[in-house]
């Protein structure tokens, strides 16, 4: 399986600011995804990061709040914009060969918004 | 829409006890099924998966799961747990969506604590 790293591993941010999270994979992958895991809850898919085109967002998530970039097959970023305390979560990226295949997860970014 | 239910949110067992964690899903089509584990302080890891074939699948660390299509279930089992199995366990379902594409949906997780 691929080795996935995320930066930062954790951050504490002020309300109204933005944070960009990076996801780096050690090999080229077709699919990259971004998830959110709110305190005490399960993982929820935010969007699929598409290489060379706009991300595909799930219901309840919008590009203005969570802009995503994927400039190549090994790297993606997720920005959490205009943050509020409700955005405090763990944000994870995952990768897979295709949508039906096994997804492997990064270590996550623990975000606290004050 | 597909959904996943994990019946036990918290389970406490003594070492050497047997484990069974329930997972049921709601979806009418073909699915791929997964169990992921998250050990304390570590990231989410794949424990085992079912795509097709033998409905009894074996994973790492002595875990196994059985897919029972008629019951829409994919329960996780281990005959004898160890203290090091203390972790959170997530069941996940990947089904083909109407209009194409797939989506991985997670259950709410089961926190397992194994006591010495």
């Amino acid at each position: 399986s691929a080795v996935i790293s995320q930066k930062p591993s954790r951050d504490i941010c002020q309300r109204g600011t933005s944070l960009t999270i990076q996801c780096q994979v050690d090999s080229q992958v077709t699919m990259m995804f971004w998830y959110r895991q709110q305190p005490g809850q399960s993982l929820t898919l935010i969007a699929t990061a598409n290489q060379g085109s706009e991300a595909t967002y799930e219901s309840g998530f919008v590009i203005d709040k969570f802009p995503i970039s994927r400039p190549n097959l090994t790297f993606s970023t997720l920005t959490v914009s205009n943050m509020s305390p409700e955005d405090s979560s763990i944000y994870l990226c995952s990768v897979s060969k295709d949508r039906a295949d096994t997804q492997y997860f990064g270590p996550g970014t623990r975000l606290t918004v004050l | 829409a597909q959904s996943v239910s994990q019946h036990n949110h918290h389970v406490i067992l003594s070492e050497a006890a047997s484990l069974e964690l329930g997972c049921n899903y709601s979806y009418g089509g073909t699915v791929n099924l997964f169990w992921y584990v998250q050990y304390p302080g570590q990231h989410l890891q794949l424990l085992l998966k079912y795509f097709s074939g033998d409905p009894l699948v074996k994973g790492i660390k002595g875990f196994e799961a059985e897919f029972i299509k008629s019951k829409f279930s994919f329960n996780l089992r281990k005959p004898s747990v160890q203290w090091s199995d203390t972790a959170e366990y997530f069941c996940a379902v990947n089904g083909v969506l109407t209009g194409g594409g797939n989506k991985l949906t997670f259950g709410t997780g089961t926190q397992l604590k194994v006591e010495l």
Side-chain angles (χ1 to χ4, degrees):
Chain A
S1 62
V3 176
I4 306 164
S5 59
Q6 285 186 234
K7 288 182 183 179
S9 58
R10 58 179 63 224
D11 208 342
I12 300 173
C13 300
Q14 295 298 319
R15 180 195 298 262
T17 62
S18 298
L19 176 72
T20 295
I21 302 167
Q22 299 178 4
C23 178
Q24 179 77 53
V25 191
D26 69 343
S27 58
Q28 293 186 342
V29 291
T30 306
M31 308 297 297
M32 292 182 81
F33 304 90
W34 286 98
Y35 287 81
R36 180 173 72 182
Q37 185 178 19
Q38 292 179 299
Q41 298 188 29
S42 189
L43 284 79
T44 302
L45 179 64
I46 298 172
T48 302
N50 301 310
Q51 194 265 329
S53 64
E54 194 171 283
T56 304
Y57 290 84
E58 297 298 310
S59 175
F61 297 97
V62 295
I63 188 171
D64 290 346
K65 176 67 176 177
F66 297 103
I68 287 170
S69 78
R70 189 171 174 198
N72 57 51
L73 293 176
T74 63
F75 185 78
S76 177
T77 67
L78 168 75
T79 299
V80 186
S81 303
N82 188 25
M83 289 184 284
S84 66
E86 292 71 36
D87 294 320
S88 297
S89 285
I90 298 173
Y91 292 87
L92 302 103
C93 71
S94 74
V95 304
S96 70
K97 289 188 298 186
D98 60 57
R99 288 192 75 92
D101 203 358
T102 305
Q103 290 184 29
Y104 296 95
F105 286 81
T109 295
R110 184 180 293 272
L111 170 62
T112 302
V113 184
L114 302 177
Chain B
Q2 60 193 34
S3 64
V4 182
S5 349
Q6 290 182 243
H7 317 298
N8 315 100
H9 297 294
H10 292 91
V11 173
I12 302 174
L13 295 173
S14 299
E15 267 206 328
S18 65
L19 170 72
E20 181 159 3
L21 300 182
C23 172
N24 284 89
Y25 67 93
S26 172
Y27 191 70
T30 302
V31 292
N32 296 332
L33 299 160
F34 306 85
W35 277 96
Y36 286 88
V37 60
Q38 189 165 27
Y39 297 102
Q42 296 188 29
H43 65 276
L44 207 58
Q45 302 171 37
L46 180 69
L47 198 55
L48 49 77
K49 62 185 178 183
Y50 172 80
F51 280 20
S52 64
D54 188 345
L56 183 63
V57 292
K58 295 189 184 301
I60 60 172
K61 304 187 179 186
F63 285 91
E64 64 178 33
E66 184 175 13
F67 170 48
I68 303 180
K69 190 174 181 179
S70 61
K71 295 185 178 180
F72 297 90
S73 70
F74 190 55
N75 292 354
L76 181 71
R77 300 195 292 251
K78 185 171 183 178
S80 175
V81 294
Q82 300 174 304
W83 177 80
S84 58
D85 293 324
T86 294
E88 189 156 19
Y89 293 81
F90 292 94
C91 181
V93 170
N94 189 318
V96 178
L97 301 174
T98 302
N102 291 69
K103 180 179 173 180
L104 189 64
T105 300
F106 283 82
T108 51
T110 297
Q111 187 68 52
L112 171 66
K113 181 179 179 182
V114 180
E115 297 178 330
L116 296 171

